[in-house]
Amino acid sequence: MALSWHLRTQDSSVIQTALSVTCDFDSGNIVVLDASSPQNVQLAIRPDTRSPHFQWFHFKVDGMQVGEPHAFSLTNASESSYNRAWTGYNAAASYDQKTWFRIPSQFDGKALNFELSPEQPQIWFAYFEPYSRERHDGLIDQALNKAGTELLATGKSVEGRDIPLLRKGDGAPGKRKIWIIAQQHPGEHMAEWFMEGIIERLQENDPELEALLASADLYLIPHMNPDGSFHGHLRTNAQGKDLNRAWQDSTAELSPEVYFAREQMEKYGVDMFLDVHGDEEIPYVFTAACEGNPGYTEQQKALEADFRARLSGLTKDFQTRYGYPKGQPGKANMNLACNSVGERYKCLSLTLEMPFKDNDDAPDIVTGWSGKRSMQLARDVLTVLGQMVSVLR
Ligand code: ZN
């Protein structure tokens, strides 16, 4: 959807200070309400297709006056899916779509407001450093041609976009099968940055990784929900389905993305599952597990504790103090990937949540939580999996 605005005088000549606000590109999302005053640009976030969810925004502003103050207001922030998420949140911005930084933002109970005096006439704003489809294509190419993965299968989204399943390893009998999937929730762009960290490390030859790969194969789905990301959704696919609420009743029509992943898991088996996400509210990295499953085992419990202890020992970018409330025994929502896969395969099964805000244990005032930090976390997760591979079964 193209949304732009030009201030015109009576005789239709364009005033030099006219701002253009657009989102007609990959993962764009904004509605322009009033851009007539650069000091008070009124905007709104557009809901997902066939779903009331919204939170993700991504738009470009052209025609700014360098050095002059500009103020932007996301006027419907209080009605978004996670309205408590705006407190303590700072918007991401970039002049070149490569280097992203945070700008101080304030939530006034209704709108999210931010302002800046730009260094360039054009800028992009986003909820988080976007992981573009173009970069995704490059990542798959890198995985196949440099990181030594093979393309096992290609799923199709509702709108026909490819969902590659990659494998690192030969699939020999007896090897552990470690599955990592990402970005079921399309606005959680940190999840594919995480996958880039995995694939980057696979390109390198280090002893820890070699030890892991001697005993395990990695099954990777770098992006589960390409339609949602393309359309600038927060949470759903093109049918308005929340994929992480579709793991019991997925269908080829409404949630082919999950249908594909489940089919492939049945085909190859699963010995460990990690589902990578971002959390809007909590300013820490944490995992959620399947302790509410009816068939939850002591071994799963022990493996979760082991994973958490090792990862928090390795990096300040993981902790165990903050997270979701524990699931009550037997009360788990089996439509969540982590619970569904944990129940089916009785293996270590985790949801990994990274922040949209920052990790308050190690804050970075310039970038907040970022793509780069998501990539480093992925490398650390591989180290932990290497340490644990012999006990996964
Ligand atoms: Zn999520």
Side-chain angles (χ1 to χ4, degrees):
M1 183 192 313
L3 295 154
S4 63
W5 174 92
H6 294 281
L7 178 62
R8 289 173 189 277
T9 56
Q10 291 283 334
D11 64 2
S12 295
S13 64
V14 177
I15 290 176
Q16 288 304 305
T17 56
L19 289 185
S20 149
V21 180
T22 54
C23 71
D24 56 340
F25 44 77
D26 177 20
S27 81
N29 181 327
I30 206 68
V31 177
V32 180
L33 303 178
D34 183 358
S36 58
S37 166
Q39 281 83 42
N40 183 20
V41 180
Q42 300 276 305
L43 306 166
I45 307 172
R46 173 169 45 79
D48 294 2
T49 312
R50 295 179 193 153
S51 157
H53 279 294
F54 68 88
Q55 193 105 21
W56 172 263
F57 61 89
H58 183 195
F59 58 94
K60 182 185 182 189
V61 183
D62 274 309
M64 294 190 296
Q65 296 289 307
V66 172
E68 295 296 321
H70 293 69
F72 302 87
S73 186
L74 303 181
T75 57
N76 60 347
S78 66
E79 295 153 43
S80 66
S81 299
Y82 302 96
N83 56 15
R84 285 182 303 171
W86 303 111
T87 303
Y89 166 79
N90 293 314
S94 174
Y95 292 113
D96 59 5
Q97 296 181 288
K98 293 190 181 80
T99 304
W100 288 80
F101 54 93
R102 302 287 183 137
I103 54 172
S105 308
Q106 289 82 36
F107 180 58
D108 63 14
K110 190 160 192 330
L112 183 80
N113 305 300
F114 46 88
E115 56 181 82
L116 89 165
S117 298
E119 296 167 12
Q120 313 252 358
Q122 66 173 36
I123 195 165
W124 284 262
F125 293 110
Y127 189 35
F128 189 85
E129 180 177 357
Y131 200 97
S132 69
R133 191 66 183 167
E134 187 185 353
R135 194 174 184 102
H136 165 88
D137 292 341
L139 180 66
I140 300 304
D141 186 60
Q142 181 185 342
L144 296 175
N145 295 308
K146 293 183 181 157
T149 69
E150 67 175 301
L151 182 64
L152 273 193
T154 303
K156 290 284 181 189
S157 66
V158 169
E159 294 182 334
R161 291 185 176 82
D162 286 350
I163 302 171
L165 165 63
L166 308 170
R167 181 171 67 193
K168 176 72 174 181
D170 57 8
K175 285 172 95 176
R176 300 290 172 257
K177 300 164 186 79
I178 296 174
W179 284 73
I180 308 177
I181 73 168
Q183 218 168 333
Q184 290 199 80
H185 291 144
E188 295 165 9
H189 287 241
M190 58 287 282
E192 195 163 10
W193 285 108
F194 180 97
M195 296 307 285
E196 183 170 322
I198 296 282
I199 287 162
E200 185 186 77
R201 191 165 176 194
L202 293 182
Q203 279 178 241
E204 301 161 13
N205 237 353
D206 65 77
E208 282 176 345
L209 188 68
E210 273 178 21
L212 170 64
L213 295 173
S215 306
D217 292 335
L218 300 183
Y219 293 75
L220 308 172
I221 303 182
H223 195 331
M224 284 286 291
N225 196 340
D227 294 350
S229 292
F230 178 79
H231 292 297
H233 289 184
L234 174 71
R235 204 148 173 99
T236 66
N237 71 358
Q239 289 281 13
K241 287 292 265 186
D242 180 336
L243 296 184
N244 203 27
R245 299 294 183 275
W247 281 71
Q248 285 303 303
D249 52 12
S250 63
T251 67
E253 293 72 36
L254 292 177
S255 46
E257 302 88 352
V258 171
Y259 195 84
F260 166 71
R262 293 186 67 202
E263 217 174 40
Q264 296 297 319
M265 286 179 177
E266 280 299 306
K267 183 172 177 183
Y268 294 104
V270 183
D271 297 308
M272 193 268 162
F273 176 60
L274 186 67
D275 182 19
V276 185
H277 286 253
D279 184 85
E280 291 81 358
E281 294 179 356
I282 299 175
Y284 297 97
V285 180
F286 58 95
T287 49
C290 57
E291 68 279 346
N293 279 1
Y296 187 57
T297 67
E298 284 300 317
Q299 193 202 19
Q300 286 175 313
K301 187 178 179 180
L303 288 170
E304 288 161 14
D306 193 11
F307 179 93
R308 288 166 171 157
R310 287 178 188 277
L311 189 55
S312 59
L314 192 61
T315 173
K316 269 189 182 170
D317 276 343
F318 183 78
Q319 57 78 52
T320 57
R321 300 176 334 276
Y322 301 95
Y324 299 144
K326 275 200 158 217
Q328 294 302 304
K331 298 279 174 60
N333 180 347
M334 303 311 290
N335 256 331
L336 270 71
C338 165
N339 296 341
S340 173
V341 174
E343 185 73 3
R344 170 71 183 88
Y345 300 98
K346 296 291 186 291
C347 62
L348 175 60
S349 183
L350 296 167
T351 307
L352 177 71
E353 298 281 355
M354 292 175 278
F356 276 89
K357 294 174 180 173
D358 203 345
N359 167 16
D360 280 1
D361 283 338
D364 185 320
I365 196 163
V366 176
T367 64
W369 190 257
S370 64
K372 192 176 162 195
R373 294 178 75 181
S374 308
M375 289 172 67
Q376 180 56 48
L377 181 69
R379 301 172 71 94
D380 292 336
V381 164
L382 286 179
T383 296
V384 167
L385 293 176
Q387 294 167 357
M388 290 181 65
V389 67
S390 63
V391 297
L392 286 177
R393 283 292 185 198

